[in-house]
Amino acid sequence: MGETIRGSRIYFPIIETFHLLALTVLFGAVLVLNMRLCGLMMKNQPTQQVAKDLSPWAWWSLVVILGSGILLFLSEAMKCYASKPFQIKMMFLFAAIIYHFTIHRGVSRSSREPHRAMGVIIGVVNVVLWLGVGLGGRGIGFL
Amino acid sequence: MADVPSIIHWMQNSDIGTGIRESIWVFPIVETTHVLALALSVGVLIWFDLRLMGWGMKHQPVSQVHKQIMPLAFVGFVVMFVSGILLFWSEAEKCYLSGFFRAKMLFLVLAGLNAGIFELRTKKTIEDWDKYPVPPAQARMAGLISILSWAAVIIAGRATAYNLF
């Protein structure tokens, strides 16, 4: 499978394009939710409600990102394994996913609004983790 | 008067164009900025489009989502536009000759026209449908065209870099 993708002239670009489109959707969802957590957006709606509205889109985009990401990895496994940006990206990715489904989810799905400062910290950490994933990913192609 | 290919040739070989292209750091940094600004701008714009289509954020009035999302999308767009011009400057000839790049520009114009029509015409009656979970057909169409044309811009933009055609 890895060889098929690498050997084809168009599979890799097509898969990577899906990766990029889904990433845009996820990043947008992460930004909107965390701006709500920071109290910068949609203040007249509870954070819990915003989180529920965004959740299905965030989920599906994450599924597409991981699926296409695994295919891309298979085709360039050796290059990725040795790549520093890729290692950094994976660290950020695991941290982001674990953080998202534990601490972040606990706060954004709570029926009580978090304290403003708490919301800001929780939200900024989440955005920084996902930015780390994105920057690491872009770095693989360059370095 | 200079024709288009000679302007393109001049751009690519100007100090700025050559400087960006041949620098170890400037090109990757400008490119990364372009992609991040894209994710910011289009990523949040999608939520307004989904609201227009009645697919997301149904609990919020359309005007509220518009007011919250648009400033952010606009900031992202400006950064994307400026970094995009710098990228074009450094690879003007490659872009000019690329079929994907031309397609990208067409879809960009389509997205712009669609947004212009929405802002100047469709939005006029917003008070009548602001709180409906699903807005009227004209507004839904604006949301759909926006999502599709931006997706096409991204696809064609990524393909430009692969240099397939």
Side-chain angles (χ1 to χ4, degrees):
Chain A
M1 177 117 99
E3 270 186 33
T4 316
I5 297 170
R6 189 172 52 244
S8 159
R9 201 153 155 258
I10 56 165
Y11 282 166
F12 193 90
I14 289 174
I15 298 169
E16 173 139 64
T17 302
F18 275 104
H19 199 61
L20 187 62
L21 286 174
L23 166 164
T24 307
V25 176
L26 180 70
F27 192 64
V30 166
L31 269 181
V32 171
L33 176 57
N34 286 303
M35 289 194 73
R36 173 62 193 90
L37 257 183
C38 295
L40 293 171
M41 211 184 232
M42 318 223 164
K43 276 182 261 189
N44 49 356
Q45 207 180 19
T47 302
Q48 196 185 19
Q49 185 62 55
V50 178
K52 269 187 196 157
D53 280 348
L54 297 176
S55 173
W57 297 91
W59 258 112
W60 281 110
S61 57
L62 188 61
V63 168
V64 174
I65 292 173
L66 292 179
S68 57
I70 289 169
L71 290 178
L72 293 174
F73 175 75
L74 284 179
S75 74
E76 292 192 319
M78 295 305 285
K79 176 189 164 187
C80 288
Y81 181 71
S83 156
K84 200 91 212 147
F86 181 79
Q87 294 166 4
I88 294 171
K89 176 180 181 176
M90 287 304 108
M91 272 168 36
F92 273 108
L93 179 63
F94 284 118
I97 290 177
I98 291 168
Y99 178 80
H100 192 88
F101 287 104
T102 53
I103 300 171
H104 193 270
R105 198 182 171 84
V107 175
S108 67
R109 289 305 183 94
S110 160
S111 54
R112 276 181 40 225
E113 284 300 323
H115 188 271
R116 176 81 195 263
M118 168 100 151
V120 170
I121 295 168
I122 298 279
V124 168
V125 169
N126 198 8
V127 171
V128 168
L129 288 175
W130 283 113
L131 271 180
V133 178
L135 289 176
R138 189 57 273 220
I140 300 169
F142 281 132
L143 297 179
Chain B
M1 197 176 142
D3 54 350
V4 174
S6 65
I7 295 173
I8 297 289
H9 184 77
W10 169 80
M11 278 185 93
Q12 166 136 352
N13 293 299
S14 63
D15 287 350
I16 295 177
T18 311
I20 297 172
R21 186 172 61 250
E22 294 185 353
S23 154
I24 294 176
W25 287 105
V26 177
F27 190 87
I29 289 173
V30 176
E31 166 101 292
T32 304
T33 308
H34 192 62
V35 178
L36 283 180
L38 156 93
L40 167 69
S41 179
V42 180
V44 298
L45 186 65
I46 287 171
W47 297 102
F48 178 62
D49 294 334
L50 288 174
R51 177 63 187 89
L52 275 183
M53 289 163 74
W55 286 11
M57 304 253 165
K58 286 187 216 175
H59 310 275
Q60 286 264 51
V62 177
S63 58
Q64 274 299 317
V65 182
H66 185 269
K67 207 172 89 189
Q68 315 264 352
I69 295 277
M70 281 309 169
L72 203 57
F74 187 73
V75 170
F77 180 80
V78 171
V79 176
M80 181 164 63
F81 202 77
V82 172
S83 57
I85 287 175
L86 292 177
L87 291 175
F88 177 80
W89 205 317
S90 74
E91 294 191 318
E93 286 186 320
K94 175 187 159 182
C95 292
Y96 178 67
L97 294 173
S98 158
F100 281 118
F101 184 80
R102 293 177 182 193
K104 175 178 177 173
M105 291 301 110
L106 275 178
F107 286 117
L108 198 57
V109 170
L110 178 65
L113 284 176
N114 181 55
I117 291 170
F118 177 81
E119 294 292 332
L120 296 175
R121 287 194 48 181
T122 317
K123 217 176 71 178
K124 272 187 190 161
T125 57
I126 196 168
E127 278 177 16
D128 302 334
W129 45 270
D130 199 14
K131 293 193 171 64
Y132 294 173
V134 181
Q138 212 185 349
R140 294 205 302 274
M141 189 53 85
L144 181 68
I145 293 176
S146 174
I147 287 190
L148 292 180
S149 51
W150 278 110
V153 168
I154 294 176
I155 292 168
R158 189 64 192 91
T160 305
Y162 279 122
N163 222 356
L164 284 177
F165 292 102

